């Protein structure tokens, strides 16, 4: 997935005929919404107007401070520009915002300026820089919506229901049934899988030129690009039989339930097959983008001083977007984290032990140097 830094400007034209105005919401990422506000009068300075950038918090940001880290990484500058009748424009004022001060209790940043400097027509705007763009289309709705419980129950009844499926997965000694139509709609991996661009063979993931799908037909297997899947001769509806060698049954079933219901069910128990780490791993492989984001957000919610080192060295180091957040947490809380069993018992044979520890210690050193300046 290609990711790069980008800049974006959101600008709105207003005039002094209205005392107050809120712009339409706009976004700098999946479920990262904002609004600009103009107020004719600043409470403590009646001769001044005020412009503010407001956060529209998502559900996870309302519950925890940790998901706000995505907003803290942004650089934002708000500004006001006069628009004169001849078309000329002139800056009234601008301010680089302290984005790391945004919290559930302080959902906006802004500035005030002398009202006498403001023309009848003017622009208010904000420029964001250093935010990450992704080379993918966000297919899921945003912000995240609540799925009605009766709809969840209805679709949950279809999970692993043999009568209405055409795919059989063999997972950890168990059989799991699913509909290729549902899977293809919810996952890019499975969409391509059933379009015969790739598949899971007995050995796991393989290239399009060599991968095979086992069918219940007695015909000789051929490469996936040439295979035509057919119902079996005994009238079974199963067209595809797929072996999943690298995930536990409960992990795969939890992902399948999410694909059907859009409702994740995470376990907080260490090492559980339905832990956020386990579901993040499987959703990462099968390109279930929304489940991965939900698992990431859940992981950050349960992150604490006792488990931070374990989470980092167990799996978070594999995902750059999670690794940096967890490392920053460890650095901010290093005095306590370094005394925990999960930190003291780091396996020296871990392939990334030396590199991660060096990265942590460098950041701790930089943070301590900054403190000594004040």
């Amino acid at each position: 997935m290609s990711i790069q830094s980008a800049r974006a400007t959101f600008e709105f034209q207003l005039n002094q005929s209205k005392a107050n105005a809120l712009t339409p919401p706009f976004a700098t990422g999946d479920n990262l919404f904002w609004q600009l506000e103009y107020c004719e009068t600043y409470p403590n300075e009646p001769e001044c107007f005020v412009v503010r950038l407001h956060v529209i918090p998502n559900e996870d940001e309302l519950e925890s401070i940790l998901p706000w880290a995505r907003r803290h990484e942004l650089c934002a500058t708000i500004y006001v520009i006069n628009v004169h009748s001849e078309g000329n424009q002139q800056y009234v004022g601008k301010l680089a915002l302290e984005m790391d001060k945004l919290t559930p209790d302080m959902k906006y940043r802004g500035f005030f300026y002398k009202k006498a400097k403001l023309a009848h027509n003017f622009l208010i705007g904000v420029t964001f820089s250093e935010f990450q763009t992704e080379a993918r289309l966000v297919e899921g709705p945003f912000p995240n919506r609540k799925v009605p419980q009766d709809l969840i129950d209805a679709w949950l009844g279809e999970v692993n229901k043999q009568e209405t499926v055409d795919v059989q997965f063999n997972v950890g000694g168990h059989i799991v049934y699913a509909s290729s139509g549902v899977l293809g709609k919810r996952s890019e991996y499975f969409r391509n899988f059933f379009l015969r661009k790739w598949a899971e063979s007995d050995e796991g993931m393989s290239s399009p030129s060599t991968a095979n799908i086992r069918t219940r037909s007695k015909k000789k297997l051929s490469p996936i690009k040439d295979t035509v899947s057919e119902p079996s001769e005994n009238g079974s509806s199963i067209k595809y039989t797929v072996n999943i060698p690298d995930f536990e049954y409960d992990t795969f079933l939890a992902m399948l339930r999410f694909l059907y219901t859009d409702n994740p069910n995470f376990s907080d128990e260490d090492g559980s097959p339905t832990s956020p780490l386990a579901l993040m791993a499987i959703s990462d492989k099968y390109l279930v983008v929304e489940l991965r984001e939900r698992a990431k957000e859940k992981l950050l919610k349960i992150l604490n001083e006792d488990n931070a080192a374990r989470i980092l060295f167990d799996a978070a180091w594999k995902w750059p977007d999670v690794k940096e957040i967890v490392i920053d947490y460890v650095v901010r809380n290093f005095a306590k984290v370094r005394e925990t069993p999960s930190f003291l018992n780091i396996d020296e044979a871990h392939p990334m032990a030396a590199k991660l520890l060096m990265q942590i210690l460098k950041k701790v050193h930089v943070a301590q140097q900054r403190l000594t300046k004040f």
Side-chain angles (χ1 to χ4, degrees), residues 26-288:
F26 49 91
T28 54
D30 188 2
N31 219 359
L32 285 183
F33 284 86
W34 313 81
Q35 273 183 300
L36 284 170
E37 177 190 27
Y38 163 76
C39 293
E40 183 182 45
T41 304
Y42 186 62
N44 299 326
E45 298 286 344
E47 299 301 317
C48 295
F49 68 90
V50 63
V51 176
R52 300 187 184 100
L53 176 67
H54 285 268
V55 170
I56 304 178
N58 57 48
E59 293 175 2
D60 296 297
E61 289 171 332
L62 290 173
E63 296 177 3
S64 169
I65 185 63
L66 290 175
W68 288 70
R70 295 173 65 198
R71 298 187 190 268
H72 295 167
E73 294 171 356
L74 299 173
C75 298
T77 300
I78 57 173
Y79 59 85
V80 178
I81 297 176
N82 280 335
V83 180
H84 300 290
S85 56
E86 60 272 20
N88 295 330
Q89 297 184 356
Q90 180 183 21
Y91 270 99
V92 177
K94 63 179 179 179
L95 178 70
L97 302 178
E98 297 176 295
M99 301 297 279
D100 60 344
K101 299 294 178 63
L102 292 171
T103 68
D105 298 319
M106 178 58 70
K107 300 184 182 71
Y108 65 86
R109 307 300 297 169
F111 73 97
F112 61 92
Y113 209 78
K114 295 270 184 201
K115 198 186 312 181
K117 300 285 187 179
L118 200 60
H120 179 71
N121 295 306
F122 58 94
L123 303 172
I124 64 172
V126 58
T127 296
F128 293 93
S129 59
E130 302 304 322
F131 73 90
Q132 302 296 309
T133 62
E134 298 184 4
R136 66 174 178 86
L137 180 66
V138 178
E139 297 181 350
F142 56 101
N144 290 335
R145 73 287 189 206
K146 289 285 188 181
V147 180
Q149 187 59 47
D150 58 346
L151 188 58
I152 292 175
D153 293 340
W155 276 102
L156 194 58
E158 297 299 312
V159 175
N160 211 10
K161 188 176 180 180
Q162 187 174 3
E163 294 81 5
T164 58
V165 300
D166 59 354
V167 185
Q168 174 183 315
F169 293 99
N170 298 324
V171 191
H174 299 268
I175 293 176
V176 179
Y177 296 104
S179 163
S180 62
V182 173
L183 301 185
K185 289 288 186 181
R186 299 282 281 150
S187 161
E188 181 184 348
Y189 180 100
F190 287 117
R191 183 159 53 251
N192 284 280
F193 184 104
F194 296 116
L195 286 174
R196 304 179 183 88
K197 291 182 179 177
W198 65 59
E200 294 269 354
S201 69
D202 287 350
E203 292 75 33
M205 187 67 178
S206 50
S207 67
S209 62
T210 60
N212 292 281
I213 290 180
R214 279 199 301 125
T215 71
R216 292 182 183 269
S217 169
K218 295 181 180 180
K219 294 180 179 180
K220 183 179 179 181
L221 292 174
S222 57
I224 185 65
K225 62 180 181 179
D226 300 322
T227 299
V228 178
S229 301
E230 299 176 356
S232 67
E233 296 173 359
N234 63 10
S236 170
S237 63
I238 300 299
K239 294 181 180 180
Y240 311 94
T241 300
V242 187
N243 295 309
I244 307 295
D246 48 353
F247 290 102
E248 293 186 40
Y249 167 75
D250 288 335
T251 307
F252 190 84
L253 190 60
M255 180 189 70
L256 190 65
R257 284 172 173 162
F258 178 82
L259 293 175
Y260 271 76
T261 68
D262 207 37
N263 188 48
N265 187 13
F266 300 108
S267 169
D268 294 338
E269 183 180 346
D270 287 350
S272 168
T274 57
S275 70
L277 282 174
L279 291 181
M280 193 167 178
I282 196 169
S283 59
D284 209 45
K285 175 175 180 178
Y286 291 108
L287 306 182
V288 187

